[in-house]
Amino acid sequence: MIRGYKRPDGRMGVRNHVLVLSCVGCANHVARAIAQRVPGAVALENAKGCGQVGKGLAIMRRCLVNLALNPNVFGTLVVGLGCETTKPLELAQRLGEQSAKPVEVITIQGAGGTLAAIEEGVRLASDLAGRAALVRREDMPLSALVLGTNCGGSDATSGLAANPTIGVVADCVTGAGGTVLLGETTELIGTEHILASRAASAEVGQDVLRIVRDLEEQFVRRGIDVRGANPSPGNMKGGLSTLEEKALGGISKGGTSPITQVVAYGQIPSRRGLVIMDTPGYDIESVSGMAAGGAQVLLFSTGRGNPIGNPLMPVIKVTGNASTYRRMVDNMDFDASGAIGGATSVQDEGTRLLELLERVCNGEPTKAERLGQDDFAIYHNDELWCGCL
């Protein structure tokens, strides 16, 4: 049984954060300082937010709004400089129009400088935190869950154990009427026809083929050989030989349910079930996009080990490599290696992982949360869907 925090729009969160949202790099110091002084507050530091135009600016504005709409957020303090293209006052206004969650806004220029902005921000965020503390957990059906999935630092055990184990949990969530996000478009190359055949409609199938085709065309236009960079050196050292082999293991994270929708980076799905989000292969940006898409929690598979976390949602690290689990026990949450040695089955491991997922949703901290690992970055559309694959 999961218990969560009900929001005004009916969605439910598994954490109860006050979000201090920086909408431009110039405001990151102030946002961080405010969050550090207010228990229950988390800061999202934004690398850009100014000097952006076109698609990059549209992505940024969409993500900033949708991050504040994430069900794990009680209310938001928008922190801006005052002259950036993301327009903090308009951003706060849009949030107020789209949600009944409390929202406040300050600008460093308007407050009269850094110190004054921090003091004003602490006052506003403290008020939000006091109100958030009054919200109590209540029963939350699995159908209310939006589960993110991602992989990074993959090896041969990822496709054999960790990803299929996550797939068992994914099928449980979609079977209960919930939503599962599958992303990393770079790592779908070579399996797009398989995914398209699982689409709930011909239109969705075409959308799957389109995002992969568009990505490959970008690579061709720029003269980039994606197959020369993926699998990465670490992937190959871990036993992965081709992009297709890696992709076949990676898509098993999504389970076996029909694909109901394909959404843009940072977009909130309008349908439940298994949804593909067009995210980059760079883990931090991919996970951040899923947080913007409304994921309350994320399962992250890693064969070679990865410490990634996220400020808004717990990230559960799953490995199928027993050596990695022992070597990086500070970072790993779940060892699925029993399914390789035959001591257990993938189904058994999936049942155990679902139990851990429920405990984390109910408040048990992940390793990343205990370490304070809060990685965050929004994709900016000034590079291709590639990175730390």
Side-chain angles (χ1 to χ4, degrees):
M1 172 63 69
I2 297 176
R3 292 178 61 81
Y5 302 95
K6 194 167 187 178
R7 304 306 180 195
D9 61 4
R11 295 194 292 171
M12 300 190 73
V14 302
R15 296 294 184 265
N16 195 34
H17 298 308
V18 169
L19 172 59
V20 183
L21 180 62
S22 170
C23 57
V24 67
C26 312
N28 285 345
H29 171 76
V30 169
R32 180 171 60 251
I34 293 169
Q36 287 174 342
R37 288 176 53 181
V38 179
V42 296
L44 286 188
E45 299 180 34
N46 187 5
K48 288 198 174 181
C50 196
Q52 293 179 280
V53 295
K55 186 177 179 181
L57 180 58
I59 291 171
M60 177 63 66
R61 287 176 172 169
R62 175 173 70 236
C63 287
L64 291 176
V65 169
N66 288 351
L67 286 161
L69 296 178
N70 185 290
N72 289 348
V73 174
F74 167 80
T76 300
L77 171 63
V78 177
V79 181
L81 176 60
C83 56
E84 58 268 42
T85 52
T86 43
K87 300 181 179 179
L89 299 179
E90 289 187 13
L91 175 64
Q93 182 178 354
R94 286 179 60 193
L95 282 172
E97 292 170 351
Q98 295 188 35
S99 172
K101 290 183 182 181
V103 58
E104 303 285 355
V105 58
I106 59 171
T107 66
I108 299 168
Q109 293 170 346
T114 293
L115 296 180
I118 291 173
E119 291 305 315
E120 176 67 5
V122 168
R123 183 185 68 79
L124 293 171
S126 295
D127 177 69
L128 289 174
R131 294 160 64 186
L134 300 176
V135 181
R136 294 290 179 262
R137 288 184 182 268
E138 53 186 271
D139 289 349
M140 174 179 170
L142 203 56
S143 60
L145 192 66
V146 179
L147 174 66
T149 67
N150 211 87
C151 56
S154 300
D155 69 4
T157 70
S158 297
L160 292 172
N163 289 332
T165 295
I166 292 174
V168 171
V169 177
D171 281 344
C172 290
V173 173
T174 56
T179 305
V180 173
L181 301 178
L182 178 67
E184 302 172 285
T185 306
T186 311
E187 301 189 16
L188 304 182
I189 295 174
T191 61
E192 63 271 23
H193 62 294
I194 299 173
L195 295 170
S197 70
R198 289 172 48 191
S201 69
E203 179 184 3
V204 173
Q206 287 302 311
D207 285 341
V208 173
L209 297 175
R210 172 183 52 78
I211 62 171
V212 176
R213 182 180 63 249
D214 288 351
L215 174 63
E216 290 193 291
E217 289 176 353
Q218 288 183 59
F219 284 122
V220 170
R221 285 197 301 271
R222 300 194 186 190
I224 296 172
D225 176 19
V226 66
R227 297 170 190 270
N230 194 2
S232 69
N235 296 151
M236 289 185 283
K237 188 175 181 180
L240 294 172
S241 61
T242 65
L243 178 58
E244 288 82 2
E245 180 186 18
K246 183 179 178 182
L248 284 167
I251 65 173
S252 65
K253 297 192 305 294
T256 61
S257 300
I259 298 165
T260 60
Q261 190 176 16
V262 175
V263 297
Y265 178 79
Q267 181 183 350
I268 298 172
S270 59
R271 300 174 191 166
R272 298 185 180 187
L274 179 59
V275 175
I276 292 180
M277 178 179 285
D278 187 12
T279 75
Y282 180 41
D283 299 328
I284 295 174
E285 290 183 346
S286 181
V287 171
S288 299
M290 292 188 179
Q296 304 106 320
V297 61
L298 185 134
L299 296 176
F300 189 105
S301 73
T302 176
R304 298 181 59 79
N306 191 314
I308 191 172
N310 182 267
L312 287 190
M313 62 180 177
V315 176
I316 300 172
K317 242 66 61 55
V318 180
T319 186
N321 189 319
S323 175
T324 295
Y325 186 81
R326 290 191 300 269
R327 188 178 66 254
M328 297 184 65
V329 68
D330 289 346
N331 306 107
M332 299 297 104
D333 296 286
F334 189 89
D335 180 5
S337 64
I340 294 178
T344 62
S345 67
V346 167
Q347 186 65 45
D348 292 336
E349 297 298 342
T351 299
R352 287 202 308 121
L353 182 56
L354 180 61
E355 292 170 354
L356 174 60
L357 173 67
E358 291 176 346
R359 296 199 305 271
V360 168
C361 286
N362 287 333
E364 180 178 313
T366 63
K367 296 290 183 66
E369 287 179 302
R370 292 172 184 170
L371 291 170
Q373 183 104 19
D374 56 356
D375 309 289
F376 176 76
I378 295 175
Y379 167 70
H380 301 129
N381 196 43
D382 55 6
E383 57 188 341
L384 288 171
W385 276 163
C386 60
C388 190
L389 304 172

